[in-house]
Amino acid sequence: MTPTLGDPGFLLPERKARIDEVVAHRTRTLTVVMETLCDPQNVNAVLRTCEAFGIQGLHAIEGPMKRYDPNKKISQNADKWLDVRRWGSTRECLGFLKADGFRIYATHLGQDSVPLGDLSFAPKVALVFGNEHRGVSDEAAALADANFTIPMLGFVQSFNVSVAAAITLARAVERRVAERGRHGDLGEAEARALRERFYLLAVKQRTRIAKAERAEARRERHAKARGE
Amino acid sequence: MTPTLGDPGFLLPERKARIDEVVAHRTRTLTVVMETLCDPQNVNAVLRTCEAFGIQGLHAIEGPMKRYDPNKKISQNADKWLDVRRWGSTRECLGFLKADGFRIYATHLGQDSVPLGDLSFAPKVALVFGNEHRGVSDEAAALADANFTIPMLGFVQSFNVSVAAAITLARAVERRVAERGRHGDLGEAEARALRERFYLLAVKQRTRIAKAERAEARRERHAKARGE
């Protein structure tokens, strides 16, 4: 049977294998919470970093007027492959995660803060990164199971938020492998569902590219026909 | 003797102690080369990250028309505390570093690339990060003692350059402590010179702030005198 547009058979075997490999490294037991980030460049850099580290689900807590606005160039379309859930308040978001069994670790310098290296990633963990100017809210710091800092050796007081997320996730992935045996850990049914979803996304992408190529070829033929 | 403006005696003991602590964590045996980066936000994020990791000296290879342009807000004035040397070509910069005993590690995906985790930081190391669009040049990849990649688990093909620098430096500092016994390693004379330089910078900063405060107080007095 000839594969039709929209059919996963339309995908090259290499593309399918690549998707299967990515899904094998995906997890929902480590997640990231962006609390009222305001710079789209930062949001997109965090999305891109999360995607690269196999984080499937993220949470965006939005201020009264803020909606994150994915920039395709900076995120490298990373958001297309992720589940970003939007929340109206910190309380709702962290409450949901706690009820779902997540330990909450917030990047916050307080009296009881511990260095990143001391955190355990054996449990399900949600990492909270705060606003570029104000840091995490008092509410998030109070609701967190642990507040942590990334050790800094110089004069600057903080890392850029996407830098902080990257350093933290690199460490988290390493610790998860040491403490849980592996990082990617979707159940079989969930992995299958995600593969199917990614196949479809990839087919749509191919279809768009194929359409664009046909349109371009048409333009060229017409241009030739007009003797241009 | 009453301390005068420009005199390190003008500095609070806490500020001096902070400077001494930062200098104790500084190194010149690990350095970063930015090869024709084009986005000032990236350059400034890299500067800020380097400063936070105790890297004292950096190298900026500039394209024919490019000069890096520190943005005070993003770099958090990090460049003030750093030595950034500018170079007109990759060959000159890497040639200088090699002659100075540095091993060159470039972030580049090639046939002989190794994962970041396999790199040794026992020798003096220069880490080369390439242009946002083109990556490191063929010349840098060829001149490098090793090309390395940061393992990525998702669909996106690369990290943002400031994210890549941060993940690499976090790992480098950790490995240096394991392999060399410590990260900060300036010689006594060099540390003293750097402390003196930082004291002066801090005094200038205080002087600027004091001047601004006096000017503000003057404006307020004048405003009151005019009955505003």
PDB file of all heavy atoms in Angstrom, chain A residues 131-162:
ATOM      1  N   ASN A 131      11.416  34.430  38.382  1.00  0.00           N
ATOM      2  CA  ASN A 131      11.477  35.611  37.526  1.00  0.00           C
ATOM      3  C   ASN A 131      12.890  36.199  37.482  1.00  0.00           C
ATOM      4  O   ASN A 131      13.611  36.177  38.476  1.00  0.00           O
ATOM      5  CB  ASN A 131      10.496  36.659  38.074  1.00  0.00           C
ATOM      6  CG  ASN A 131      10.570  37.951  37.316  1.00  0.00           C
ATOM      7  OD1 ASN A 131      11.373  38.824  37.653  1.00  0.00           O
ATOM      8  ND2 ASN A 131       9.768  38.095  36.294  1.00  0.00           N
ATOM      9  N   GLU A 132      13.274  36.738  36.302  1.00  0.00           N
ATOM     10  CA  GLU A 132      14.616  37.253  36.070  1.00  0.00           C
ATOM     11  C   GLU A 132      15.023  38.336  37.067  1.00  0.00           C
ATOM     12  O   GLU A 132      16.203  38.478  37.384  1.00  0.00           O
ATOM     13  CB  GLU A 132      14.730  37.847  34.664  1.00  0.00           C
ATOM     14  CG  GLU A 132      14.657  36.821  33.548  1.00  0.00           C
ATOM     15  CD  GLU A 132      13.228  36.568  33.070  1.00  0.00           C
ATOM     16  OE1 GLU A 132      12.281  36.853  33.844  1.00  0.00           O
ATOM     17  OE2 GLU A 132      13.067  36.077  31.945  1.00  0.00           O
ATOM     18  N   HIS A 133      14.067  39.131  37.537  1.00  0.00           N
ATOM     19  CA  HIS A 133      14.411  40.255  38.404  1.00  0.00           C
ATOM     20  C   HIS A 133      14.158  39.947  39.876  1.00  0.00           C
ATOM     21  O   HIS A 133      14.960  40.258  40.745  1.00  0.00           O
ATOM     22  CB  HIS A 133      13.625  41.503  37.989  1.00  0.00           C
ATOM     23  CG  HIS A 133      13.756  41.773  36.518  1.00  0.00           C
ATOM     24  ND1 HIS A 133      14.963  42.089  35.955  1.00  0.00           N
ATOM     25  CD2 HIS A 133      12.860  41.694  35.504  1.00  0.00           C
ATOM     26  CE1 HIS A 133      14.800  42.235  34.641  1.00  0.00           C
ATOM     27  NE2 HIS A 133      13.540  41.994  34.350  1.00  0.00           N
ATOM     28  N   ARG A 134      13.043  39.287  40.155  1.00  0.00           N
ATOM     29  CA  ARG A 134      12.653  39.074  41.550  1.00  0.00           C
ATOM     30  C   ARG A 134      13.038  37.697  42.082  1.00  0.00           C
ATOM     31  O   ARG A 134      12.902  37.434  43.272  1.00  0.00           O
ATOM     32  CB  ARG A 134      11.126  39.230  41.682  1.00  0.00           C
ATOM     33  CG  ARG A 134      10.596  40.589  41.257  1.00  0.00           C
ATOM     34  CD  ARG A 134       9.091  40.668  41.458  1.00  0.00           C
ATOM     35  NE  ARG A 134       8.361  39.593  40.792  1.00  0.00           N
ATOM     36  CZ  ARG A 134       7.956  39.639  39.520  1.00  0.00           C
ATOM     37  NH1 ARG A 134       8.223  40.683  38.787  1.00  0.00           N
ATOM     38  NH2 ARG A 134       7.300  38.632  38.992  1.00  0.00           N
ATOM     39  N   GLY A 135      13.475  36.804  41.212  1.00  0.00           N
ATOM     40  CA  GLY A 135      13.734  35.430  41.651  1.00  0.00           C
ATOM     41  C   GLY A 135      12.421  34.713  41.916  1.00  0.00           C
ATOM     42  O   GLY A 135      11.360  35.189  41.522  1.00  0.00           O
ATOM     43  N   VAL A 136      12.466  33.575  42.619  1.00  0.00           N
ATOM     44  CA  VAL A 136      11.219  32.861  42.917  1.00  0.00           C
ATOM     45  C   VAL A 136      10.441  33.656  43.975  1.00  0.00           C
ATOM     46  O   VAL A 136      11.021  34.380  44.774  1.00  0.00           O
ATOM     47  CB  VAL A 136      11.453  31.407  43.421  1.00  0.00           C
ATOM     48  CG1 VAL A 136      12.210  30.587  42.406  1.00  0.00           C
ATOM     49  CG2 VAL A 136      12.140  31.379  44.760  1.00  0.00           C
ATOM     50  N   SER A 137       9.133  33.498  43.949  1.00  0.00           N
ATOM     51  CA  SER A 137       8.279  34.221  44.896  1.00  0.00           C
ATOM     52  C   SER A 137       8.463  33.663  46.306  1.00  0.00           C
ATOM     53  O   SER A 137       8.916  32.527  46.482  1.00  0.00           O
ATOM     54  CB  SER A 137       6.811  34.078  44.487  1.00  0.00           C
ATOM     55  OG  SER A 137       6.414  32.721  44.610  1.00  0.00           O
ATOM     56  N   ASP A 138       8.108  34.468  47.310  1.00  0.00           N
ATOM     57  CA  ASP A 138       8.144  33.992  48.691  1.00  0.00           C
ATOM     58  C   ASP A 138       7.266  32.752  48.834  1.00  0.00           C
ATOM     59  O   ASP A 138       7.591  31.820  49.567  1.00  0.00           O
ATOM     60  CB  ASP A 138       7.633  35.086  49.642  1.00  0.00           C
ATOM     61  CG  ASP A 138       8.588  36.269  49.700  1.00  0.00           C
ATOM     62  OD1 ASP A 138       9.761  36.108  49.269  1.00  0.00           O
ATOM     63  OD2 ASP A 138       8.165  37.347  50.152  1.00  0.00           O
ATOM     64  N   GLU A 139       6.156  32.767  48.109  1.00  0.00           N
ATOM     65  CA  GLU A 139       5.225  31.641  48.187  1.00  0.00           C
ATOM     66  C   GLU A 139       5.883  30.347  47.681  1.00  0.00           C
ATOM     67  O   GLU A 139       5.783  29.305  48.339  1.00  0.00           O
ATOM     68  CB  GLU A 139       3.982  31.962  47.345  1.00  0.00           C
ATOM     69  CG  GLU A 139       2.828  31.043  47.635  1.00  0.00           C
ATOM     70  CD  GLU A 139       1.561  31.494  46.921  1.00  0.00           C
ATOM     71  OE1 GLU A 139       1.677  32.259  45.933  1.00  0.00           O
ATOM     72  OE2 GLU A 139       0.482  31.062  47.347  1.00  0.00           O
ATOM     73  N   ALA A 140       6.570  30.452  46.557  1.00  0.00           N
ATOM     74  CA  ALA A 140       7.238  29.262  46.016  1.00  0.00           C
ATOM     75  C   ALA A 140       8.325  28.780  46.970  1.00  0.00           C
ATOM     76  O   ALA A 140       8.463  27.581  47.226  1.00  0.00           O
ATOM     77  CB  ALA A 140       7.827  29.565  44.636  1.00  0.00           C
ATOM     78  N   ALA A 141       9.097  29.734  47.510  1.00  0.00           N
ATOM     79  CA  ALA A 141      10.174  29.355  48.439  1.00  0.00           C
ATOM     80  C   ALA A 141       9.604  28.666  49.672  1.00  0.00           C
ATOM     81  O   ALA A 141      10.184  27.715  50.191  1.00  0.00           O
ATOM     82  CB  ALA A 141      10.985  30.589  48.832  1.00  0.00           C
ATOM     83  N   ALA A 142       8.440  29.151  50.145  1.00  0.00           N
ATOM     84  CA  ALA A 142       7.823  28.573  51.343  1.00  0.00           C
ATOM     85  C   ALA A 142       7.213  27.196  51.043  1.00  0.00           C
ATOM     86  O   ALA A 142       7.284  26.288  51.875  1.00  0.00           O
ATOM     87  CB  ALA A 142       6.749  29.515  51.887  1.00  0.00           C
ATOM     88  N   LEU A 143       6.637  27.036  49.863  1.00  0.00           N
ATOM     89  CA  LEU A 143       6.007  25.763  49.494  1.00  0.00           C
ATOM     90  C   LEU A 143       7.027  24.690  49.108  1.00  0.00           C
ATOM     91  O   LEU A 143       6.730  23.498  49.134  1.00  0.00           O
ATOM     92  CB  LEU A 143       5.025  25.965  48.330  1.00  0.00           C
ATOM     93  CG  LEU A 143       3.719  26.696  48.652  1.00  0.00           C
ATOM     94  CD1 LEU A 143       2.972  27.066  47.369  1.00  0.00           C
ATOM     95  CD2 LEU A 143       2.833  25.820  49.546  1.00  0.00           C
ATOM     96  N   ALA A 144       8.233  25.113  48.763  1.00  0.00           N
ATOM     97  CA  ALA A 144       9.243  24.160  48.275  1.00  0.00           C
ATOM     98  C   ALA A 144       9.671  23.198  49.381  1.00  0.00           C
ATOM     99  O   ALA A 144       9.731  23.569  50.558  1.00  0.00           O
ATOM    100  CB  ALA A 144      10.453  24.903  47.732  1.00  0.00           C
ATOM    101  N   ASP A 145       9.987  21.970  48.992  1.00  0.00           N
ATOM    102  CA  ASP A 145      10.552  21.002  49.939  1.00  0.00           C
ATOM    103  C   ASP A 145      12.004  21.347  50.225  1.00  0.00           C
ATOM    104  O   ASP A 145      12.520  21.020  51.290  1.00  0.00           O
ATOM    105  CB  ASP A 145      10.442  19.593  49.359  1.00  0.00           C
ATOM    106  CG  ASP A 145       8.988  19.185  49.158  1.00  0.00           C
ATOM    107  OD1 ASP A 145       8.298  18.994  50.177  1.00  0.00           O
ATOM    108  OD2 ASP A 145       8.539  19.104  48.001  1.00  0.00           O
ATOM    109  N   ALA A 146      12.668  21.956  49.257  1.00  0.00           N
ATOM    110  CA  ALA A 146      14.043  22.427  49.468  1.00  0.00           C
ATOM    111  C   ALA A 146      14.290  23.637  48.590  1.00  0.00           C
ATOM    112  O   ALA A 146      13.757  23.727  47.483  1.00  0.00           O
ATOM    113  CB  ALA A 146      15.052  21.333  49.139  1.00  0.00           C
ATOM    114  N   ASN A 147      15.049  24.593  49.134  1.00  0.00           N
ATOM    115  CA  ASN A 147      15.548  25.689  48.318  1.00  0.00           C
ATOM    116  C   ASN A 147      17.018  25.425  48.087  1.00  0.00           C
ATOM    117  O   ASN A 147      17.725  24.971  48.982  1.00  0.00           O
ATOM    118  CB  ASN A 147      15.341  27.030  49.028  1.00  0.00           C
ATOM    119  CG  ASN A 147      13.870  27.391  49.100  1.00  0.00           C
ATOM    120  OD1 ASN A 147      13.220  27.520  48.076  1.00  0.00           O
ATOM    121  ND2 ASN A 147      13.345  27.533  50.307  1.00  0.00           N
ATOM    122  N   PHE A 148      17.475  25.700  46.852  1.00  0.00           N
ATOM    123  CA  PHE A 148      18.873  25.398  46.549  1.00  0.00           C
ATOM    124  C   PHE A 148      19.527  26.539  45.787  1.00  0.00           C
ATOM    125  O   PHE A 148      18.850  27.390  45.211  1.00  0.00           O
ATOM    126  CB  PHE A 148      18.997  24.085  45.769  1.00  0.00           C
ATOM    127  CG  PHE A 148      18.542  24.168  44.332  1.00  0.00           C
ATOM    128  CD1 PHE A 148      19.458  24.359  43.309  1.00  0.00           C
ATOM    129  CD2 PHE A 148      17.201  24.065  44.006  1.00  0.00           C
ATOM    130  CE1 PHE A 148      19.044  24.437  41.979  1.00  0.00           C
ATOM    131  CE2 PHE A 148      16.775  24.144  42.681  1.00  0.00           C
ATOM    132  CZ  PHE A 148      17.709  24.328  41.675  1.00  0.00           C
ATOM    133  N   THR A 149      20.850  26.536  45.831  1.00  0.00           N
ATOM    134  CA  THR A 149      21.625  27.523  45.090  1.00  0.00           C
ATOM    135  C   THR A 149      22.703  26.790  44.290  1.00  0.00           C
ATOM    136  O   THR A 149      23.131  25.694  44.656  1.00  0.00           O
ATOM    137  CB  THR A 149      22.326  28.516  46.025  1.00  0.00           C
ATOM    138  OG1 THR A 149      23.139  27.782  46.934  1.00  0.00           O
ATOM    139  CG2 THR A 149      21.321  29.356  46.804  1.00  0.00           C
ATOM    140  N   ILE A 150      23.106  27.427  43.201  1.00  0.00           N
ATOM    141  CA  ILE A 150      24.239  26.923  42.430  1.00  0.00           C
ATOM    142  C   ILE A 150      25.460  27.676  42.934  1.00  0.00           C
ATOM    143  O   ILE A 150      25.466  28.908  42.923  1.00  0.00           O
ATOM    144  CB  ILE A 150      24.025  27.185  40.922  1.00  0.00           C
ATOM    145  CG1 ILE A 150      22.747  26.489  40.456  1.00  0.00           C
ATOM    146  CG2 ILE A 150      25.234  26.726  40.114  1.00  0.00           C
ATOM    147  CD1 ILE A 150      22.299  26.910  39.073  1.00  0.00           C
ATOM    148  N   PRO A 151      26.473  26.956  43.434  1.00  0.00           N
ATOM    149  CA  PRO A 151      27.638  27.653  43.988  1.00  0.00           C
ATOM    150  C   PRO A 151      28.245  28.608  42.962  1.00  0.00           C
ATOM    151  O   PRO A 151      28.435  28.248  41.803  1.00  0.00           O
ATOM    152  CB  PRO A 151      28.600  26.504  44.333  1.00  0.00           C
ATOM    153  CG  PRO A 151      27.715  25.321  44.540  1.00  0.00           C
ATOM    154  CD  PRO A 151      26.588  25.498  43.563  1.00  0.00           C
ATOM    155  N   MET A 152      28.512  29.842  43.377  1.00  0.00           N
ATOM    156  CA  MET A 152      29.088  30.866  42.501  1.00  0.00           C
ATOM    157  C   MET A 152      30.370  31.373  43.135  1.00  0.00           C
ATOM    158  O   MET A 152      30.427  31.606  44.329  1.00  0.00           O
ATOM    159  CB  MET A 152      28.098  32.005  42.310  1.00  0.00           C
ATOM    160  CG  MET A 152      26.762  31.523  41.769  1.00  0.00           C
ATOM    161  SD  MET A 152      25.639  32.881  41.386  1.00  0.00           S
ATOM    162  CE  MET A 152      26.385  33.483  39.876  1.00  0.00           C
ATOM    163  N   LEU A 153      31.396  31.553  42.305  1.00  0.00           N
ATOM    164  CA  LEU A 153      32.727  31.867  42.811  1.00  0.00           C
ATOM    165  C   LEU A 153      33.134  33.322  42.594  1.00  0.00           C
ATOM    166  O   LEU A 153      34.210  33.725  43.032  1.00  0.00           O
ATOM    167  CB  LEU A 153      33.756  30.954  42.139  1.00  0.00           C
ATOM    168  CG  LEU A 153      33.447  29.451  42.177  1.00  0.00           C
ATOM    169  CD1 LEU A 153      34.461  28.684  41.345  1.00  0.00           C
ATOM    170  CD2 LEU A 153      33.447  28.947  43.620  1.00  0.00           C
ATOM    171  N   GLY A 154      32.323  34.102  41.883  1.00  0.00           N
ATOM    172  CA  GLY A 154      32.750  35.452  41.523  1.00  0.00           C
ATOM    173  C   GLY A 154      31.903  36.544  42.158  1.00  0.00           C
ATOM    174  O   GLY A 154      31.258  36.331  43.185  1.00  0.00           O
ATOM    175  N   PHE A 155      31.918  37.712  41.517  1.00  0.00           N
ATOM    176  CA  PHE A 155      31.178  38.858  42.037  1.00  0.00           C
ATOM    177  C   PHE A 155      29.711  38.854  41.626  1.00  0.00           C
ATOM    178  O   PHE A 155      28.872  39.358  42.350  1.00  0.00           O
ATOM    179  CB  PHE A 155      31.799  40.169  41.539  1.00  0.00           C
ATOM    180  CG  PHE A 155      33.147  40.460  42.121  1.00  0.00           C
ATOM    181  CD1 PHE A 155      34.285  40.407  41.337  1.00  0.00           C
ATOM    182  CD2 PHE A 155      33.277  40.796  43.457  1.00  0.00           C
ATOM    183  CE1 PHE A 155      35.535  40.680  41.861  1.00  0.00           C
ATOM    184  CE2 PHE A 155      34.521  41.078  43.997  1.00  0.00           C
ATOM    185  CZ  PHE A 155      35.657  41.012  43.200  1.00  0.00           C
ATOM    186  N   VAL A 156      29.409  38.304  40.437  1.00  0.00           N
ATOM    187  CA  VAL A 156      28.024  38.387  39.988  1.00  0.00           C
ATOM    188  C   VAL A 156      27.156  37.559  40.926  1.00  0.00           C
ATOM    189  O   VAL A 156      27.589  36.546  41.472  1.00  0.00           O
ATOM    190  CB  VAL A 156      27.825  37.976  38.501  1.00  0.00           C
ATOM    191  CG1 VAL A 156      28.668  38.839  37.577  1.00  0.00           C
ATOM    192  CG2 VAL A 156      28.082  36.515  38.286  1.00  0.00           C
ATOM    193  N   GLN A 157      25.941  38.038  41.137  1.00  0.00           N
ATOM    194  CA  GLN A 157      25.091  37.512  42.197  1.00  0.00           C
ATOM    195  C   GLN A 157      24.198  36.367  41.742  1.00  0.00           C
ATOM    196  O   GLN A 157      23.624  35.667  42.557  1.00  0.00           O
ATOM    197  CB  GLN A 157      24.181  38.640  42.729  1.00  0.00           C
ATOM    198  CG  GLN A 157      24.943  39.844  43.250  1.00  0.00           C
ATOM    199  CD  GLN A 157      25.621  39.562  44.581  1.00  0.00           C
ATOM    200  OE1 GLN A 157      25.115  38.779  45.368  1.00  0.00           O
ATOM    201  NE2 GLN A 157      26.768  40.176  44.820  1.00  0.00           N
ATOM    202  N   SER A 158      24.049  36.235  40.436  1.00  0.00           N
ATOM    203  CA  SER A 158      23.141  35.201  39.956  1.00  0.00           C
ATOM    204  C   SER A 158      23.507  34.837  38.533  1.00  0.00           C
ATOM    205  O   SER A 158      24.126  35.620  37.814  1.00  0.00           O
ATOM    206  CB  SER A 158      21.702  35.710  39.977  1.00  0.00           C
ATOM    207  OG  SER A 158      21.571  36.799  39.073  1.00  0.00           O
ATOM    208  N   PHE A 159      23.110  33.624  38.148  1.00  0.00           N
ATOM    209  CA  PHE A 159      23.246  33.220  36.757  1.00  0.00           C
ATOM    210  C   PHE A 159      22.024  33.692  35.988  1.00  0.00           C
ATOM    211  O   PHE A 159      20.930  33.819  36.556  1.00  0.00           O
ATOM    212  CB  PHE A 159      23.312  31.691  36.659  1.00  0.00           C
ATOM    213  CG  PHE A 159      24.609  31.094  37.118  1.00  0.00           C
ATOM    214  CD1 PHE A 159      24.700  30.434  38.333  1.00  0.00           C
ATOM    215  CD2 PHE A 159      25.740  31.173  36.322  1.00  0.00           C
ATOM    216  CE1 PHE A 159      25.894  29.864  38.746  1.00  0.00           C
ATOM    217  CE2 PHE A 159      26.940  30.603  36.725  1.00  0.00           C
ATOM    218  CZ  PHE A 159      27.016  29.964  37.947  1.00  0.00           C
ATOM    219  N   ASN A 160      22.187  33.889  34.706  1.00  0.00           N
ATOM    220  CA  ASN A 160      21.038  34.034  33.825  1.00  0.00           C
ATOM    221  C   ASN A 160      20.131  32.818  34.051  1.00  0.00           C
ATOM    222  O   ASN A 160      20.626  31.715  34.284  1.00  0.00           O
ATOM    223  CB  ASN A 160      21.570  34.079  32.380  1.00  0.00           C
ATOM    224  CG  ASN A 160      20.484  34.007  31.346  1.00  0.00           C
ATOM    225  OD1 ASN A 160      19.926  32.947  31.104  1.00  0.00           O
ATOM    226  ND2 ASN A 160      20.157  35.121  30.750  1.00  0.00           N
ATOM    227  N   VAL A 161      18.814  32.997  33.983  1.00  0.00           N
ATOM    228  CA  VAL A 161      17.899  31.908  34.351  1.00  0.00           C
ATOM    229  C   VAL A 161      18.042  30.686  33.440  1.00  0.00           C
ATOM    230  O   VAL A 161      17.954  29.538  33.904  1.00  0.00           O
ATOM    231  CB  VAL A 161      16.426  32.397  34.411  1.00  0.00           C
ATOM    232  CG1 VAL A 161      15.927  32.863  33.064  1.00  0.00           C
ATOM    233  CG2 VAL A 161      15.517  31.300  34.970  1.00  0.00           C
ATOM    234  N   SER A 162      18.311  30.906  32.161  1.00  0.00           N
ATOM    235  CA  SER A 162      18.445  29.738  31.281  1.00  0.00           C
ATOM    236  C   SER A 162      19.756  29.008  31.566  1.00  0.00           C
ATOM    237  O   SER A 162      19.842  27.786  31.421  1.00  0.00           O
ATOM    238  CB  SER A 162      18.346  30.143  29.803  1.00  0.00           C
ATOM    239  OG  SER A 162      19.450  30.906  29.406  1.00  0.00           O
TER     240      SER A 162
END
